[in-house]
Amino acid sequence: MAWRYECTDCDHHTTWMARADAETARFQHHDDGHNGGAPARERFTSNNAERVASNPRQLLFVGALFALAFLYWVWDTIT
């Protein structure tokens, strides 16, 4: 899996690389570009990680769990 670090405060970004290398580049950029501090807007992304919002089945499952928990809470409150 390839990872990329992007700092949108100063338009710095790395190429796609291993996660450990991208994390090292991130902390190196903190030291060099921002005097050791973290920038306000940065992104650490993977090129093939699947987001939960892109899978409707996962969203439906989580929604059903919340609905059941809510119904249980209502039932417990009434009785």
Side-chain angles (χ1 to χ4, degrees), residues 5 14 21-31 38 42 44:
Y5 169 72
T14 64
D21 295 335
E23 287 177 350
T24 302
R26 175 186 182 194
F27 294 123
Q28 186 68 37
H29 176 69
H30 286 185
D31 292 339
E42 64 180 351
F44 192 66

Side-chain angles (χ1 to χ4, degrees), residues 14-52:
T14 64
T15 59
W16 296 104
M17 57 182 69
R19 182 179 179 134
D21 295 335
E23 287 177 350
T24 302
R26 175 186 182 194
F27 294 123
Q28 186 68 37
H29 176 69
H30 286 185
D31 292 339
D32 296 343
H34 299 283
N35 297 324
R41 295 175 299 169
E42 64 180 351
R43 237 184 343 192
F44 192 66
T45 58
S46 171
N47 66 345
N48 57 355
E50 182 183 2
R51 294 192 168 107
V52 174

